[in-house]
Amino acid sequence: MSLKTRFSLVALALGAAFSATAADEVIVVTGDRFDSAPEQQLAVVNTIERVEIEQLNPKSVVDILERLPGVSVTRTGGTGQSASVSVRGANSDHVLVLVDGVRISSATLGSVSFSSLSPEQVQRIEVVKGPRASVWGSDAIGGVIQIFTRKLDQGQWFASAEVGSDAYRRLSAGAGVRHGDGRTSVTLSTEQSDGFDAKRDDETDDDGYDRITAGVSGEQTLNDRWQLNWAGQYSTGNYEYDRQFGGNEADFDNFYWSLGTQYQQGDYTSKVTVGQARDYNDNFRDGTPDHSIYQTRREQLSWSNQFLASDMLTLIGGVDYYTESVSGDYDKDERDVLGVFALARVDLDAWLLEAVVRYDDVEKIDAETSYNLSAAYRFGNGWRLSAGYGTAFKAPTFNDLYWPGSGNPGLSSETGKNTDLTLSYNRDGYNAYLSLFRNDVEDLIQWAPTGEQDENGWDIWKPANIAEAKLQGVELGVDFSTYGLDHQLAYTYLDAQDETKDEPLLGRSEHEFDYSAAYAWTQWDLRLDYHYQGKRKDKDDHFLAPYHQLDLSLGYAFADNWQVRLKANNLLDEEIVSNGNYFGPGAEWFLSVSYTQF
C-alpha cells in the first residue's frame, strides 16, 4: 500500500487527490458539511489519512500540517510550546479549527492550543483553502482545518511505546467494541519530554511538557432512517516556557464533546449536533502563589440539511447557534452567535456551479453576510479549470473588546475577499494542480493610540480596525509514482503585504517547498521528507535565515501485527528557527514499537 498524503484538490482545485490506490474511496466532509466525493466539492482541500500519519510519526499536529502546500507553521520552541498555523498567509486566528465538527479556538485570544492535541488521537485531517465563512461562519478567512479522531471497530486495537531525544517517552493504546448495529472506540495516550531551552535569554533551563489525552468516538444505527453519533476528547497536562515577566509554567485542561443524530429518507438527509468545548490554562511561576487563569467555554448547536433535488441539483442549508463565555474581570463575559446558510450546487456534465450565502448575527458586535460563487469546467482527459470568489469575516475576541482597561467595544469584524483560479490534472497515476489566489483582508485589528492620555500623561493605546493586508500567491502540488517509489511535491509562493505600512507581513516566507519519497518492500518501509522554509521577516528590518529540514522514517514489521520504527528529524542538524526569540530543536531521534490488530 502506498503511504502518502492525499491532496484532495476539489472544485476550486478540482481533482489532484494524493491517494493510496486508485480504488480507495476519498470522502470530503468539511467543504459543505456532508460526506461527498471530491469531484462534487467546490474548494481546495488537502487531506491526510491515518496511514501516513503513522509513517510521519509526528510529535504534534502542526508537524502534520506543515507538510501541506500553503500551510505555514510558527513555533515558540519544541513540541510542548505554543505554535500557530497560517493558511495562504492569513493570520493564525483567521483559520477555523474544528475537532469532529466542534470549534476549539479560545474565545479570549482566538488561538488554538495545538500543543494539547495528540497525533495518536487523529484519524484524518482535512484542510480547506480559501474563505469558507459562507459555510462555517466566523474565523474562516484563510481556510478551515478539521481534525477527525480515531475510529476502531470490534476486534480492532493497538498499543504503542516510544522513546527519543530529550528524554521523550510515550505510551498509547486504543480499542473498538460493537454494540448491536453500532460501535464505540476508546483511545488513550500519555507522553512527556524534558524538552530543551526554548527561549533566547539568560535563563538556560529546559522547557519540558507532559500531556494525557483520552478520546471516545462512536455511532449507533437505530433503524434504516435514524442514526446516533458521539465524540469527545479530554486533554490535561503541563508545559514549561520562558517569559521575561510573569509565569514560566502552565497547566491546561481542555475538553470537547459532541452528540448528534442523523435522519435520512430517500434524497433528504438532516443532521442535528450539540456540543461543548472548554479551553483552560493556569499560568504561574513555580514557587509563587501568583496565578493567571484563562478559561473559555463554548456551547454549540447546529442543524444541517441536504436535499438531492435531482441528478444535477444539490441543495444544502442549516442553522448554527453557539454561546461563548469567558472567566475573568471582563466588562462583558458572554455572547451569542446565530448563523443561517444556504448552498446550491448544479452539475451540468462539463460544468459544476455553486453558490453559497450565509448570515451571521454576533451579539454586541455586528451582523455579517458572507457568500461564495464558484464554477469549474471539465475538459480534455483529466483536466479541470475552476474559479471562485468569496467573502469571509472574523469577529473580534473578548480580549479585543473587553480586556480590562484596554478593550475597545466599538470594534467591528475583520473581513476578507478571496479570488481563486486553479488548473488541475488527474490521470494515468499523475495528480497535479496549480492554484493562483488572492485574499484582500480589511479592518484588521491592531493596537493604536486613541489620542487620549492617562493620569500620568502617557498615551492610551487600544485595539482598532485600522490595518489592511494583501495575500496573493501560487500553490503547486504534484503526486506520482515511479518504479514503486511514491513522490509528493508541494511548492508555495506567497506575497504577503501589510498595505497600511507598505511592507512585508511578519512571519511569512515568500517560498516554501516540500518533497517526500516513500518506498515499501516486504516487511520494510522507508520515507524521506524534505522541507525548505524561505526567509521570514521577524521584526523591524530583521529577517530570519532560511533553513532546510530533512527527516527520515524507517519501519520494519518483524512479526505479525508488530512493527518497530526509527524516526530521525533534522538530519542536517540545522538551526531551525521560525520565531527569532526562540530556539528550534536540533537533530532528534525516536524509536517506537507497536502492535496493531486490524
Side-chain angles (χ1 to χ4, degrees):
M1 176 181 291
S2 169
L3 303 174
K4 37 185 179 176
T5 304
R6 293 178 180 172
F7 289 106
S8 298
L9 179 67
V10 285
L12 286 180
L14 284 171
F18 278 16
S19 55
T21 66
D24 282 348
E25 182 182 12
V26 180
I27 295 296
V28 175
V29 178
T30 311
D32 62 13
R33 301 193 178 205
F34 285 86
D35 296 349
S36 303
E39 59 269 18
Q40 290 300 311
Q41 294 285 312
L42 278 154
V44 178
V45 183
N46 302 140
T47 305
I48 300 180
E49 304 290 349
R50 180 67 211 173
V51 66
E52 183 174 7
I53 294 173
E54 292 178 355
Q55 233 196 8
L56 283 170
N57 194 17
K59 297 297 158 287
S60 68
V61 170
V62 294
D63 293 342
I64 306 172
L65 296 171
E66 190 173 33
R67 307 294 175 180
L68 297 176
V71 179
S72 298
V73 173
T74 301
R75 295 177 171 86
T76 58
T79 298
Q81 308 300 311
S82 63
S84 61
V85 175
S86 171
V87 175
R88 290 184 170 180
N91 289 344
S92 59
D93 59 354
H94 289 170
V95 180
L96 174 62
V97 180
L98 309 165
V99 178
D100 292 325
V102 178
R103 291 171 172 261
I104 63 168
S105 62
S106 166
T108 54
L109 298 173
S111 58
V112 172
S113 178
F114 285 104
S115 61
S116 66
L117 300 172
S118 171
E120 283 296 302
Q121 307 288 324
V122 178
Q123 180 67 32
R124 70 194 302 260
I125 299 177
E126 293 179 2
V127 180
V128 182
K129 307 293 182 62
R132 298 307 287 173
S134 57
V135 175
W136 291 100
S138 178
D139 302 357
I141 290 180
V144 180
I145 297 172
Q146 180 153 205
I147 300 168
F148 299 89
T149 54
R150 296 186 74 167
K151 293 177 173 58
L152 304 170
D153 212 333
Q154 176 71 36
Q156 295 182 341
W157 64 279
F158 71 90
S160 177
E162 185 174 14
V163 296
S165 297
D166 300 319
Y168 176 85
R169 51 268 195 210
R170 173 183 61 82
L171 295 172
S172 61
V177 295
R178 274 276 175 182
H179 34 78
D181 292 330
R183 62 175 179 172
T184 296
S185 58
V186 178
T187 55
L188 178 67
S189 66
T190 175
E191 64 183 278
Q192 55 186 321
S193 171
D194 290 349
F196 58 91
D197 184 28
K199 198 169 190 300
R200 297 175 183 269
D201 56 16
D202 295 332
E203 193 174 21
T204 58
D205 64 322
D206 290 337
D207 300 306
Y209 73 96
D210 62 78
R211 66 185 174 201
I212 298 174
T213 306
V216 61
S217 178
E219 58 190 21
Q220 180 70 48
T221 299
L222 303 179
N223 53 44
D224 59 354
R225 296 182 181 178
W226 288 95
Q227 183 183 66
L228 295 176
N229 58 79
W230 52 89
Q233 190 173 99
Y234 173 71
S235 299
T236 183
N238 171 276
Y239 60 93
E240 299 168 337
Y241 60 94
D242 293 331
R243 181 175 293 175
Q244 186 175 0
F245 302 104
N248 65 355
E249 193 171 346
D251 294 332
F252 64 86
D253 287 279
N254 301 337
F255 72 79
Y256 82 91
W257 62 264
S258 66
L259 176 64
T261 180
Q262 177 173 303
Y263 172 82
Q264 184 169 2
Q265 183 176 16
D267 295 323
Y268 174 68
T269 304
S270 181
K271 298 190 292 187
V272 176
T273 303
V274 295
Q276 184 186 80
R278 187 191 73 167
D279 178 76
Y280 173 91
N281 273 269
D282 180 3
N283 296 266
F284 57 93
R285 180 172 289 278
D286 189 25
T288 69
D290 296 329
H291 288 249
S292 298
I293 297 176
Y294 305 91
Q295 177 175 307
T296 67
R297 189 184 300 267
R298 185 181 291 108
E299 283 86 23
Q300 308 175 50
L301 170 66
S302 67
W303 178 37
S304 302
N305 304 271
Q306 177 180 259
F307 178 57
L308 305 178
S310 68
D311 292 339
M312 295 186 300
L313 178 62
T314 299
L315 301 175
I316 296 175
V319 179
D320 294 315
Y321 172 80
Y322 57 90
T323 297
E324 297 177 324
S325 59
V326 300
S327 298
D329 188 20
Y330 291 87
D331 292 336
K332 305 289 184 181
D333 59 8
E334 185 175 302
R335 71 181 178 197
D336 297 333
V337 180
L338 176 66
V340 181
F341 75 98
L343 177 153
R345 184 165 56 236
V346 180
D347 192 337
L348 302 173
D349 295 326
W351 287 94
L352 186 65
L353 310 174
E354 184 180 89
V356 196
V357 63
R358 180 183 175 105
Y359 174 82
D360 284 274
D361 183 13
V362 184
E363 185 182 10
K364 303 181 181 73
I365 303 177
D366 52 19
E368 295 288 341
T369 300
S370 310
Y371 65 90
N372 277 80
L373 298 172
S374 307
Y377 178 67
R378 308 171 178 114
F379 64 96
N381 295 319
W383 290 94
R384 292 168 177 174
L385 180 65
S386 52
Y389 177 82
T391 64
F393 76 99
K394 157 74 173 149
T397 67
F398 278 85
N399 282 8
D400 294 330
L401 295 162
Y402 309 121
W403 184 260
S406 62
N408 180 3
L411 292 172
S412 60
S413 294
E414 300 171 316
T415 61
K417 299 176 181 178
N418 182 277
T419 305
D420 198 313
L421 179 66
T422 302
L423 177 67
S424 67
Y425 177 78
N426 185 0
R427 184 170 176 171
D428 299 329
Y430 285 86
N431 299 304
Y433 73 90
L434 180 67
S435 184
L436 284 69
F437 60 88
R438 172 166 174 164
N439 197 353
D440 293 298
V441 188
E442 300 177 345
D443 298 322
L444 285 167
I445 297 172
Q446 289 188 356
W447 284 81
T450 63
E452 302 174 322
Q453 294 182 330
D454 62 17
E455 57 187 14
N456 297 316
W458 292 92
D459 290 334
I460 297 176
W461 288 59
K462 290 187 177 183
N465 295 100
I466 59 171
E468 298 181 7
K470 179 176 66 177
L471 313 170
Q472 58 186 357
V474 180
E475 189 176 292
L476 171 69
V478 181
D479 164 37
F480 63 97
S481 298
T482 56
Y483 303 104
L485 190 65
D486 300 324
H487 306 268
Q488 299 172 35
L489 183 150
Y491 168 74
T492 305
Y493 167 77
L494 176 66
D495 178 17
Q497 293 292 322
D498 184 333
E499 295 288 89
T500 308
K501 300 179 181 179
D502 192 25
E503 61 184 33
L505 286 170
L506 299 179
R508 275 75 165 181
S509 296
E510 274 193 337
H511 305 282
E512 284 193 54
F513 176 79
D514 285 274
Y515 171 75
S516 69
Y519 187 75
W521 70 102
T522 60
Q523 295 105 324
W524 295 86
D525 67 76
L526 176 67
R527 179 187 176 103
L528 188 71
D529 285 277
Y530 168 76
H531 175 73
Y532 170 77
Q533 185 76 53
K535 67 178 183 179
R536 299 180 177 187
K537 186 174 182 180
D538 187 35
K539 55 184 177 181
D540 300 325
D541 292 324
H542 179 256
F543 285 82
L544 299 176
Y547 65 81
H548 309 262
Q549 180 174 346
L550 186 65
D551 300 339
L552 178 69
S553 178
L554 177 65
Y556 175 63
F558 60 90
D560 289 345
N561 305 318
W562 286 93
Q563 185 182 67
V564 60
R565 181 170 298 281
L566 175 64
K567 178 67 183 296
N569 290 338
N570 192 12
L571 286 172
L572 303 178
D573 197 22
E574 285 214 14
E575 185 177 49
I576 297 175
V577 177
S578 59
N579 183 318
N581 294 322
Y582 296 88
F583 295 107
E588 300 175 301
W589 66 270
F590 302 94
L591 182 66
S592 64
V593 178
S594 61
Y595 179 90
T596 304
Q597 178 67 57
F598 279 175

